[in-house]
Amino acid sequence: MKKVVLTSTLALMTSMALANEQAVTEQTTAEQALLPQTVFKNVDIFNGTENKLYENHHVLIEGNKIKSISGDEITVRDDALIIDGKGKTLTPGFIENHAHLMLMGPSLPAMESGKTWEDFAIHGSRMAQMYLMQGFTTVRDAGGANGGLRRAIDAGEIIGPRYYPSGAFLSTRGGHADFANYSAPVGQESNFTRLNMAQEVDSVGDVKKYARNNFRMGATQLKYMQSGGVVSAFDPWQLLAGSPEELSAAVAVAESYGSYVMAHSYRKEAILGALDAGVMSIEHGFSFDCEIAEVMNDKGAYITTNLTAFDPGLMDIPAIKNVPSSYRKAQSATESFKNYIPNMKKCPVKRGFQTDCVGSVDACNIQIAYEKKLNNDFFGPYESLKTLTSIGGEIATLTGDFTNPYPEAKLGVIEVGAYADVLLLDGNPLQDFSVVGTGDKWFGAEKRVDSPETIQLIMKDGVIYKNTL
Ligand SMILES: [Zn+2]
């Protein structure tokens, strides 16, 4: 008897659950039917991967994804928004693979000693908006930012791109993200450590602790400082900062989150050591050569390049010119890195876009536009467009399924099912690259308007943020 009651109760519960499920399904279908539709008519498509434009095409956006692409007219609902592209070029939204949205400058020690969380947050939100209006629908942050900015962007509280932060820079004592002053004792708390913007890691235990803390604070990947730098205080650029065990510990923690490590690596030994430990994204990689290319291609690793580092005007900036140790470091770096671009052309690897600006919003706006230009100067329009779109998307999604905040669709391509992150450009960027919003000058450039005129429409996640058609 008892058994029968139990069975019928179970049956009742099951049928209730089924009824519920049916209601949910009906509701979902109704919601799907109401997903907003936008159709781009008469556009030439650069799809992110191919060296050609698909002329006179039509693209239907439904909700936040690309629903269909066709050479013929697409049938849409009466309430669909129709945008006549008039032969302009539809491209994927651009992807920045190495920014620092929280770091406003003017120098790293100045941020350590003279800024509060409010300064960082306000700067970060203004940078996020500027990036989106420069056509970047996705930004990977290479250190100094946690999950707060992304939460605010994704909740629609502020305007910005999809955002992949790295949490605190992981840096050894005296390494490239040690921003304390000379007399600061080991282990002293600072602005950067309190806000989890940079952490000193000097053992496998430290690396594990602060790497895990980064993911806890909203990082989507880790950033490890494996080399020194030019304008930083304590570190020769040739520094091999972390031991193989420490690097491997960072990779192991990242992999436990399904994600990966990006490493700031200059010297050949640093790059090869990082790759050997399982690092998937080499940042700068200035000693790049064909042997490194072979290892990278074997492992499916990526490099990001900040080409402004090769601007001759760099030797004249006060942070280098007026600081003898930095000037010497810059001279030796210039000599050692002179084959970077030729090697990269000779032995290509998958390359992401990197601006690496630390400074005011206006200064970064100029630097981004100039970095776009240098990409074309060195690598031509097609390679540069791939770097800005599909390769950037591959790099962003190295975060894996369960740590990626945007796991439902592809980034950086115009394909059926991809996220609806697109731009409409006034011109053909494969013929005239300047339509992506390049700037001709870095030092001494005039302040730029928020958004390049030739980027006539910006859509992220199916939402239009600019439309001057
Ligand atoms: Zn950087």
Side-chain angles (χ1 to χ4, degrees), residues 58-72:
H58 309 273
V59 177
L60 172 63
I61 309 295
E62 200 168 85
N64 66 347
K65 312 244 171 52
I66 296 170
K67 175 88 174 173
S68 57
I69 302 169
S70 175
D72 302 320

Side-chain angles (χ1 to χ4, degrees), residues 98-100 103 142-143 169 176 223 225 264 283-284 354-358:
H98 186 130
H100 299 283
L103 307 184
F169 298 99
H176 194 48
K223 170 72 179 300
M225 294 302 207
H264 165 101
E283 306 305 299
H284 319 290
Q354 167 180 173
T355 304
D356 201 21
C357 184
V358 172

Side-chain angles (χ1 to χ4, degrees), residues 42-55:
N42 309 315
V43 290
D44 293 350
I45 301 172
F46 170 73
N47 66 9
T49 57
E50 290 175 278
N51 191 5
K52 63 184 273 196
L53 297 186
Y54 286 86
E55 288 179 7

